[in-house]
Amino acid sequence: MAEEVKTPKLDELEKGPWPSFVKEIKREAAKNDMSKDLLGQLEVSYEENIGHWKHGGIVGVRGYGGGVIGRYTDLPEQFPALREFHTMRISAPSGWFYSTGKLREICDIWEKHGSGLTNMHGSTGDIIFLGTTTDQLQPTYDELAEHGIDLGGSGSDLRSPSCCVGPGRCEHACYDTLDMCLDITNEFQDELHRPMWPYKSKIKMSGCANDCVAAAARADISVIGTWRDGLTIDNDEVKKYVAEGFPIKSRVIDVCPTKCLKYDKESDELSCNTDECTRCMQCINMMPKAIKQGKEKGATILVGAKSTIVKSANMSWVLVPFMKMDAPYDEFKDLVNRIWDWWDENGKTRERLGETIYRLGMGAFLRGIDMPAVPQMVYRPRANPYVFWQPEDIEKESAEA
């Protein structure tokens, strides 16, 4: 082991009431040269305001094109243990439910073959193994496979599907996100492990509109739980809220985005105009004992969200207002395959699905996947730049007038 690394800048990050990643790296550095050199390089990066990592290189495991990200230091003489510091993405269980035994297996494997440092979890939803050498990639994978653990996605492939905790711990889940995430992951193994597209594609599943995995902001295909009938309102519970001094007008009625809720002070009863309700969950979150979701549950399918890469960040927009989400999810799988086929045919290199739709237009996308336009795809008239009248439609309308 090299002599102790001086890290005055990193030491500052250990101060205060919050857990510190620096403290955890130091714990591992006491027994691992790779982690010790990582401390040194990170201190240099803080001093120089420059990242000292190089990415790329053809590294991986047999049969897979994804799951391993090549990483190297650009200061190999100063930090020789970081000459190779590859990252592995490990597929996580639905809802991130682990047994303590499985966690110990994972950590033991990584301490044996890598730096011992993990990220639980990365923005991909995967377990992230931070730092190993090229010759340890295959042994790490082989041992993971013996324990029933697989690699996640990286590169221009399907990134590991992820979901919220769903029915495992939440009363608001409108479908079984945990089962669907497992099913979708197993269904699309080729797309997950073998990069074949213009760029990455993400599927994220949230059980309700609270969207606890932020699918609507991050996923190319989002599955957001919803219901098709009206809200279930228990007015006996409404009266209890009012009796206890809950400000129903300011916290519920006035903030309803479509003003679909009405409260009668004389009878202490709450009613909803279902035709105007957007099922945003605001009222349910405020009065969960009195207001619940409807009984006909399923999901809204949205497309096109992403962070800034080629173009600016996009929020997703509605593609299918309501779809039943019952195993084996054949209707959803068929839709996903049609979307991928169109995007693979029309997308440019490093162009996400939403960017391809933005460039070619929602009309071209809908025709390409054989789906008719519906009003829910438009937030309000003329507010959606992706839907256009086709010349033949205008001529037809004129002829029929």
Side-chain angles (χ1 to χ4, degrees), residues 102-112 116 118 129:
K102 186 60 67 174
L103 284 174
R104 287 189 175 92
E105 289 176 10
I106 291 169
C107 292
D108 288 345
I109 291 170
W110 191 230
E111 285 199 339
K112 178 180 176 182
T118 63
F129 280 2

Side-chain angles (χ1 to χ4, degrees), residues 19-271:
S20 169
F21 73 94
V22 174
K23 179 180 178 180
E24 298 304 319
I25 297 176
K26 286 182 176 180
R27 288 176 60 184
E28 199 61 35
K31 53 185 176 181
N32 187 294
D33 281 335
M34 190 174 281
S35 295
K36 180 170 285 189
D37 274 4
L38 179 63
L39 280 174
Q41 178 168 304
L42 191 56
E43 180 72 16
V44 171
S45 292
Y46 272 79
E47 291 171 351
E48 300 179 354
N49 293 322
I50 296 174
H52 285 286
W53 292 112
K54 298 188 296 183
H55 298 267
I58 306 302
V59 291
V61 299
R62 288 191 296 271
Y64 282 32
V68 179
I69 301 98
R71 183 170 287 130
Y72 313 82
T73 181
D74 65 4
L75 302 172
E77 291 77 20
Q78 190 173 353
F79 302 109
L82 303 182
R83 288 179 183 274
E84 297 171 346
F85 194 81
H86 307 315
T87 291
M88 301 183 76
R89 289 181 177 166
I90 312 303
S91 186
S94 296
W96 303 287
F97 282 102
Y98 299 93
S99 67
T100 55
K102 186 60 67 174
L103 284 174
R104 287 189 175 92
E105 289 176 10
I106 291 169
C107 292
D108 288 345
I109 291 170
W110 191 230
E111 285 199 339
K112 178 180 176 182
H113 295 288
S115 70
L117 298 173
T118 63
N119 181 346
M120 306 283 284
H121 297 82
S123 60
T124 61
D126 291 322
I127 306 164
I128 308 300
F129 280 2
L130 295 165
T132 193
T133 55
T134 302
D135 63 339
Q136 290 298 314
L137 291 171
Q138 190 66 44
T140 304
Y141 169 73
D142 291 342
E143 196 162 343
L144 287 168
E146 290 174 5
H147 287 79
I149 303 168
D150 203 357
L151 296 188
S154 70
S156 297
D157 63 7
L158 171 64
R159 299 300 177 85
S160 304
S162 63
C163 67
C164 70
V165 72
R169 205 172 63 219
C170 180
E171 64 181 350
H172 296 318
C174 292
Y175 67 98
D176 193 336
T177 57
L178 305 173
D179 179 73
M180 184 178 181
C181 186
L182 175 62
D183 190 289
I184 295 302
T185 301
N186 288 333
E187 175 75 17
F188 295 121
Q189 285 294 293
D190 275 357
E191 292 81 0
L192 180 62
H193 292 308
R194 295 168 183 87
M196 61 185 81
W197 292 329
Y199 201 25
K200 59 188 172 184
S201 184
K202 298 179 180 180
I203 301 175
K204 296 185 184 295
M205 289 146 274
S206 288
C208 73
N210 286 327
D211 194 8
C212 290
V213 292
R218 301 191 295 157
D220 301 87
I221 302 173
S222 308
V223 187
I224 310 295
T226 190
W227 61 97
R228 187 152 51 182
D229 52 344
L231 289 169
T232 301
I233 300 175
D234 184 339
N235 275 304
D236 289 336
E237 291 293 337
V238 171
K239 293 173 183 177
K240 291 180 183 179
Y241 273 96
V242 175
E244 293 171 0
F246 180 77
I248 188 171
K249 184 177 185 301
S250 62
R251 299 286 295 278
V252 177
I253 305 300
D254 292 347
V255 295
C256 176
T258 59
K259 309 303 180 188
C260 68
L261 292 171
K262 182 180 179 181
Y263 174 63
D264 188 324
K265 287 185 178 181
E266 294 184 3
S267 62
D268 275 346
E269 291 192 350
L270 187 68
S271 60

Side-chain angles (χ1 to χ4, degrees), residues 255-327:
V255 295
C256 176
T258 59
K259 309 303 180 188
C260 68
L261 292 171
K262 182 180 179 181
Y263 174 63
D264 188 324
K265 287 185 178 181
E266 294 184 3
S267 62
D268 275 346
E269 291 192 350
L270 187 68
S271 60
C272 175
N273 180 351
T274 299
D275 291 339
E276 294 296 321
C277 179
T278 59
R279 296 154 180 82
C280 70
M281 297 279 296
Q282 162 66 20
C283 59
I284 297 174
N285 292 333
M286 292 294 101
M287 302 175 66
K289 293 182 179 180
I291 309 174
K292 298 185 183 299
Q293 298 149 312
K295 293 180 172 57
E296 192 176 356
K297 297 178 180 179
T300 297
I301 313 301
L302 302 97
V303 295
K306 68 171 192 66
S307 182
T308 300
I309 300 177
V310 176
K311 293 186 180 296
S312 62
N314 286 340
M315 292 289 283
S316 58
W317 59 93
V318 172
L319 181 65
V320 181
F322 184 87
M323 181 184 290
K324 293 291 287 184
M325 283 295 146
D326 298 323

